[in-house]
Structures are given as C-alpha cells and as structure tokens.
Amino acid sequence: MLKTVLLTLSSVIAIVVGIGLCLSTHYSASRSIVIQAPAEKVFALIGDLKRWPEWEPFSKADPTTKTTLGETTTGIGAGQSWAGEGNKGRLTFTVCDPKTGIEYDVVFTNGEHDSPAKSWMRLNARPDGSIEVLWGMEGEMNMPMVGGYIALFADRFIGPMFEGGLEALKARAEAKAAELK
C-alpha cells in the first residue's frame, strides 16, 4: 500500500515538474482607463517618479517596501529601486514623452534569478478631450520549474494591481484638472 502511494505521489510530482518545464515563462498583462483630464496633468503624475507615490499601488500592497529614487526622476534614464519583504527591483525610463507616455525597463530581483520586464503607460488622446491610459507589462519569469506557472497566472496577479493604480491615477488627475476650472 505504501509503495503504491509513494509511486503515485512520485508520478504526480514528475508530471507537475514536467509541465512546469514545458510552460512558457513569458507573461504579459495590461489594463486601460479613460481619464477626464488633459494629457499634461496625467503625464505630470506618471512622468516624474517623485509623483508615483500619489497613485502607484505596489508600495501599498507591501508596506515594508522602501523606494530609493535615482539621481534623476524624470526623462530618459530616470530611475528608482525598491526593496521590501516580498520584493526587490529597479526600473529605468527608456521613453518619457508628454504626448505619448512613458516606457521603462523593470528588473525584479528574486534571490539568484533576475526577471527583466518591459513596461509602459501609453497616453492616447480621445476626440472628447479625455485621455486613455494603457498600462502594460511583459517579461520573462526566470525561475526554474515554477516560472512557467507564475507566468501562466501573471495577468491575474498584475492586472488587479494595474487596475488599482489606474483608478488612483484617474482620481488624482481628475482632481487636479478640476482645481484649474
């Protein structure tokens, strides 16, 4: 009986590991929102890392996170790093355009395995004067065996964070726009 249980358990583990090794480690996630504010109000919040605490969701999810800003906080090359109990990493702006938005390289550091990603916040002007903001990320989960499983469910983890951040960005940008009226 014990031999059958051990054989079954070993088979299940082998199948789970085998599937994990075959799964793609590539992931992507994106969300969008329409903001009733001028592009310059939205860009002021996303294009300067000093302003990110006003809307970004990640530090709220892990209150142990400490963020360190780079020498520059806006423009190409601006960057920051962070460390908390559950996460560590850095990001660097690669595009910073008041009309089109930002793009940045992100590296999540998890012990021995760095997981690089590309992320963006694109600004799309709409005919009614509002701005659609598309926040997205794609990358590789460089973690043996479990990376494929994490990548498989990445949208479910990252998506709600993006939604919360976009809602906070919308509230902040629309409040700033209302102050000017």
Side-chain angles (χ1 to χ4, degrees):
M1 175 73 169
L2 180 61
K3 189 176 185 178
T4 304
V5 170
L6 289 175
L7 184 59
T8 302
L9 183 61
S10 297
S11 297
V12 169
I13 290 171
I15 290 169
V16 168
V17 168
I19 290 171
L21 291 172
C22 293
L23 289 173
S24 171
T25 58
H26 182 82
Y27 67 91
S28 65
S30 66
R31 298 293 190 273
S32 67
I33 197 165
V34 174
I35 299 177
Q36 301 295 327
E40 59 269 9
K41 293 295 172 201
V42 177
F43 183 77
L45 293 165
I46 67 170
D48 187 346
L49 292 168
K50 286 182 196 172
R51 305 284 308 270
W52 279 36
E54 297 177 39
W55 59 269
E56 62 84 11
F58 306 110
S59 59
K60 292 163 192 67
D62 181 358
T64 67
T65 299
K66 301 292 183 229
T67 301
T68 303
L69 297 173
E71 287 185 29
T72 59
T73 62
T74 190
I76 295 172
Q80 69 178 24
S81 60
W82 65 90
E85 285 179 16
N87 63 74
K88 185 177 180 183
R90 63 188 179 279
L91 70 82
T92 306
F93 283 2
T94 57
V95 172
C96 192
D97 185 311
K99 290 185 174 97
T100 61
I102 62 170
E103 294 181 21
Y104 52 97
D105 290 338
V106 184
V107 177
F108 300 100
T109 306
N110 302 312
E112 302 172 12
H113 307 284
D114 287 352
S115 296
K118 299 273 186 196
S119 193
W120 58 87
M121 295 187 85
R122 296 194 178 112
L123 304 178
N124 299 310
R126 295 168 45 102
D128 65 358
S130 63
I131 297 295
E132 178 188 36
V133 179
L134 173 67
W135 193 1
M137 177 186 292
E138 65 180 13
E140 298 293 327
M141 278 295 171
N142 295 330
M143 300 169 72
M145 290 188 291
V146 298
Y149 286 108
I150 294 171
L152 186 63
F153 295 103
D155 186 71
R156 290 186 183 180
F157 297 126
I158 300 168
M161 298 289 278
F162 282 179
E163 290 168 8
L166 288 169
E167 287 292 337
L169 178 65
K170 175 182 175 79
R172 190 76 178 136
E174 289 179 354
K176 287 290 185 190
E179 289 174 7
L180 296 175
K181 290 183 180 180

